[in-house]
Amino acid sequence: MKAKILIVYASMTGNTEEMAHLIGDGVIQAGAVLVRKDIIEVSAADLQSYDGILIGAYTWGDGDLPDEFLDFYEEMDPLHLSGKKTAVFGSCSSSYEHRGRAVDLLIEKLTEIGADIKLKGLKIDLAPSSEEKKLCIQYGRSFVEKSFGLIGTVTP
């Protein structure tokens, strides 16, 4: 049976959404089943229904989670995601002191509730360049391969 992967993300300018789509392409290429949702379409409890979870959030201001992520973040507190395969990504800006801190905050929260972080957080300044687009696709593929082994690759 194929692993069922959820990508949940928040995006204001479309940069993190683009990352979510590219990472999702990599997940599909690696042979997993993908469900992709905007943060406003999902509750934290939904995370328990998936084999793997990729969470994407842009960093707001000087290192904050986006407003639309705050309720979801708090809803994560009572969850027990022991052993659940996860990774975090997001767009950010290197012009701020705490570049991509939303990614770091989500990794910390997932770790606190027992999730198994499979990849280092992926932070991309603003919109992904051509090379960074390839990196996003590879991030999705790597997540599936490191979490569930080689499920079966599809040539893009």
Side-chain angles (χ1 to χ4, degrees):
M1 187 155 98
K2 292 185 177 185
K4 188 174 176 185
I5 310 298
L6 172 67
I7 295 180
V8 60
Y9 65 92
S11 188
M12 178 187 286
T13 61
N15 296 334
T16 303
E17 181 177 11
E18 182 177 11
M19 291 177 70
H21 283 272
L22 293 163
I23 290 168
D25 290 347
V27 166
I28 292 167
Q29 288 175 16
V33 174
L34 175 67
V35 175
R36 186 177 23 241
K37 294 186 177 191
D38 186 288
I39 190 68
I40 62 171
E41 302 173 321
V42 67
S43 72
D46 295 337
L47 299 178
Q48 297 171 328
S49 301
Y50 295 88
D51 302 310
I53 305 156
L54 289 149
I55 299 178
Y58 63 93
T59 298
W60 179 249
D62 197 28
D64 299 320
L65 285 169
D67 284 347
E68 61 270 33
F69 231 103
L70 296 177
D71 288 342
F72 183 90
Y73 184 82
E74 289 179 14
E75 288 173 10
M76 292 171 70
D77 285 337
L79 296 180
H80 299 287
L81 298 182
S82 183
K84 188 74 72 174
K85 314 296 191 242
T86 62
V88 181
F89 63 94
S91 61
C92 54
S93 175
S94 58
S95 64
Y96 289 99
E97 178 183 355
H98 301 288
R99 178 185 178 269
R101 187 163 175 255
V103 170
D104 301 332
L105 290 170
L106 288 165
I107 289 172
E108 289 170 14
K109 176 66 78 179
L110 287 166
T111 301
E112 286 172 17
I113 59 176
D116 181 9
I117 309 294
K118 298 307 286 183
L119 299 172
K120 179 181 175 185
L122 177 61
K123 300 175 184 180
I124 292 182
D125 277 359
L126 307 174
S129 67
S130 294
E131 284 304 308
E132 290 168 331
K133 288 177 181 181
K134 293 176 191 172
L135 181 65
C136 288
I137 293 168
Q138 185 55 48
Y139 193 80
R141 290 177 64 101
S142 294
F143 175 75
V144 173
E145 291 168 5
K146 289 184 180 208
S147 299
F148 308 102
L150 190 58
I151 294 173
T153 56
V154 177
T155 305

